[in-house]
C-alpha cells in the first residue's frame, strides 16, 4: 500500500488512465511473490480496481497467499481459481462493497470463507466447483431473489450463512417446507443463519410459519437464527415450548406480536 501511495503521489497531476496503466504494470509485478501470505488492495481516492485479471493470472505463483481482500473497489466480475494449481493456500476471500454482478470461482481447495456482501448479485453464484471446505458464506446486501441451495450444497460443513437485506420472498408455506427447512438440515454444522431484511418479512403469516419451522431444525437450540432482525429463541426439542418474539428497537414489523408468546408443539428432529 505504501508503494501504491508513492505512485499516486508521483502521478497525481497526470491522466488517471495513464496512472492506472503504470501502476498496474509495476504493482502486480511486486505482488508476484511466492512468500506473500496476505494481500489487501484497499482503494485510494483516485485509484479503484475495475478488474483483477492481472492478479487472477498469477494464481499459481501466489502459492502461500492465505487472505485476499479486494473490497471497496469497482469490480463487476470475479473469476478466480480457473486452474487447480491457483491459490492453493487461499483460505479467506473478501470482495465486499464492489459492483459485482458475475462470479466464477472454482477449485481453491483451501478456501474457508467467502464474503461477497454489498454488491449487485441477482442470484447466489454457482459454487459447486469450489473444492474448499467453506465454512462461512456472506451474501448480504445484494439483489438475490431466491436461495438456490444446489449452488452451495457442496459446502457440507458450512457454519455461517448470511443472506440478509436482499430481495428474497416466500410466496407460500410449501416453499418453506420443501426448500428452506429441508435444505438447511443438510448443513449439519451450521450455527448461524441470518435472513433478516428481506421482502418476506412483510408477510406476517409467512414469518410466523417460518419461525415455527426453523425451530424444528436439527439442533436448533444451538443455532443463531435471525429472521427480520428477530432472534429465534433456543427451545429444547421434543417439548412443548414457548417462542417469544422480541422486536428490536426501530423495527415495527410484526408489532402485534411484540408482547405475545407463540406456543409451539416441537417434535424431535430425526
Amino acid at each position: 500500500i505504501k508503494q501504491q501511495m508513492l505512485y499516486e503521489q508521483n502521478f497525481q497531476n497526470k491522466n488517471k488512465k495513464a496512472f492506472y496503466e503504470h501502476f498496474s504494470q509495476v504493482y502486480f509485478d511486486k505482488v508476484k511473490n511466492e512468500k506473500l501470505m496476505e494481500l489487501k488492495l484497499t482503494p485510494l481516492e483516485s485509484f479503484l480496481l475495475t478488474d483483477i485479471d492481472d492478479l487472477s493470472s498469477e494464481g499459481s505463483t501466489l502459492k502461500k497467499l492465505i487472505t485476499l481482500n479486494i473490497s471497496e473497489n469497482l469490480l463487476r466480475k470475479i473469476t478466480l481459481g480457473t486452474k487447480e494449481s491457483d491459490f492453493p493456500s487461499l483460505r479467506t476471500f473478501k470482495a465486499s462493497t464492489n459492483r459485482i454482478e458475475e462470479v466464477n470461482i472454482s477449485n481453491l481447495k483451501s478456501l474457508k470463507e467467502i464474503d461477497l456482501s454489498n454488491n449487485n448479485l441477482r442470484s447466489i453464484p454457482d459454487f459447486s466447483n469450489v473444492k474448499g471446505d467453506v465454512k462461512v458464506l456472506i451474501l448480504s446486501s445484494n439483489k438475490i431473489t431466491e436461495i438456490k441451495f444446489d449452488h452451495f450444497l457442496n459446502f457440507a460443513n458450512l457454519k455461517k450463512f448470511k443472506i440478509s437485506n436482499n430481495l428474497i420472498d416466500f410466496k407460500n408455506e410449501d416453499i418453506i417446507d420443501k426448500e428452506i427447512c429441508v435444505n438447511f438440515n443438510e448443513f449439519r454444522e451450521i450455527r448461524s443463519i441470518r435472513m433478516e431484511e428481506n421482502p418476506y418479512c412483510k408477510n406476517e403469516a409467512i414469518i410466523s410459519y417460518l419461525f415455527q419451522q426453523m425451530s424444528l431444525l436439527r439442533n436448533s437450540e444451538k443455532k443463531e437464527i435471525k429472521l427480520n432482525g428477530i432472534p429465534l429463541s433456543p427451545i429444547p426439542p421434543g417439548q412443548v415450548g414457548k417462542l417469544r418474539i422480541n422486536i428490536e428497537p426501530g423495527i415495527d414489523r410484526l408489532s402485534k406480536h411484540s408482547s405475545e408468546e407463540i406456543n409451539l408443539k416441537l417434535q424431535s428432529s430425526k
Side-chain angles (χ1 to χ4, degrees):
I1 300 304
K2 290 182 180 179
Q3 188 72 51
Q4 178 175 343
M5 295 175 66
L6 177 61
Y7 283 121
E8 182 180 35
Q9 183 178 5
N10 291 340
F11 285 84
Q12 61 183 351
N13 297 321
K14 295 187 178 182
N15 182 275
K16 287 185 179 180
K17 182 178 180 181
F19 162 71
Y20 173 78
E21 292 174 348
H22 177 87
F23 174 79
S24 295
Q25 180 180 357
V26 178
Y27 186 70
F28 283 117
D29 282 342
K30 295 286 185 183
V31 303
K32 295 175 184 178
N33 184 337
E34 293 186 8
K35 297 182 179 180
L36 189 68
M37 297 182 69
E38 182 173 350
L39 178 59
K40 182 177 182 180
L41 300 181
T42 305
L44 296 175
E45 183 177 353
S46 60
F47 178 72
L48 293 169
L49 285 177
T50 56
D51 68 71
I52 58 168
D53 289 344
D54 291 327
L55 183 60
S56 297
S57 64
E58 297 302 322
S60 57
T61 302
L62 300 170
K63 295 179 179 180
K64 294 188 177 181
L65 188 68
I66 295 175
T67 300
L68 175 58
N69 188 345
I70 50 176
S71 301
E72 300 181 31
N73 282 286
L74 296 177
L75 298 167
R76 293 183 180 275
K77 179 180 178 181
I78 294 291
T79 300
L80 211 62
T82 53
K83 297 180 294 185
E84 288 192 19
S85 58
D86 287 352
F87 304 104
S89 301
L90 188 66
R91 294 172 59 89
T92 302
F93 175 61
K94 296 183 178 183
S96 65
T97 317
N98 279 278
R99 299 179 181 177
I100 298 171
E101 300 174 348
E102 182 180 349
V103 176
N104 298 297
I105 301 180
S106 303
N107 298 306
L108 304 181
K109 61 183 180 180
S110 298
L111 194 61
K112 303 293 184 185
E113 178 179 349
I114 301 173
D115 184 353
L116 293 170
S117 58
N118 293 291
N119 281 291
N120 292 328
L121 294 172
R122 296 186 178 276
S123 64
I124 295 179
D126 188 353
F127 296 116
S128 58
N129 291 321
V130 175
K131 297 181 179 180
D133 185 19
V134 174
K135 299 182 184 298
V136 177
L137 180 57
I138 303 176
L139 300 169
S140 54
S141 300
N142 277 280
K143 300 176 181 179
I144 298 170
T145 57
E146 62 178 312
I147 304 177
K148 294 185 177 180
F149 286 94
D150 58 323
H151 285 191
F152 63 101
L153 274 178
N154 51 309
F155 299 162
N157 295 313
L158 190 68
K159 290 188 175 182
K160 180 178 181 180
F161 178 68
K162 188 173 183 179
I163 198 165
S164 53
N165 192 23
N166 274 278
L167 300 176
I168 296 171
D169 205 358
F170 305 126
K171 300 299 182 183
N172 54 61
E173 297 176 353
D174 191 54
I175 293 176
I176 296 175
D177 287 340
K178 293 183 178 180
E179 294 291 330
I180 304 303
C181 296
V182 170
N183 283 299
F184 271 130
N185 257 331
E186 293 295 318
F187 301 106
R188 296 178 178 272
E189 300 297 322
I190 201 158
R191 291 293 178 267
S192 177
I193 301 172
R194 300 287 300 271
M195 295 169 54
E196 65 268 35
E197 298 182 63
N198 278 286
Y200 78 85
C201 298
K202 298 178 181 179
N203 188 324
E204 295 184 1
I206 289 295
I207 192 74
S208 296
Y209 186 75
L210 187 58
F211 261 109
Q212 177 180 338
Q213 296 306 101
M214 294 289 271
S215 70
L216 302 178
L217 289 177
R218 181 187 293 109
N219 297 322
S220 63
E221 73 278 6
K222 298 180 181 179
K223 301 182 187 338
E224 177 204 28
I225 301 176
K226 275 200 172 183
L227 314 172
N228 193 29
I230 307 167
L232 182 65
S233 302
I235 310 172
Q239 300 179 17
V240 176
K242 290 183 178 181
L243 173 63
R244 181 181 293 277
I245 295 181
N246 298 311
I247 306 298
E248 291 185 350
I251 297 178
D252 57 5
R253 297 167 184 164
L254 291 178
S255 57
K256 73 176 185 178
H257 296 301
S258 59
S259 61
E260 293 181 12
E261 289 183 345
I262 299 177
N263 292 320
L264 300 178
K265 175 69 175 178
L266 301 182
Q267 302 172 358
S268 299
S269 56
K270 296 181 180 180

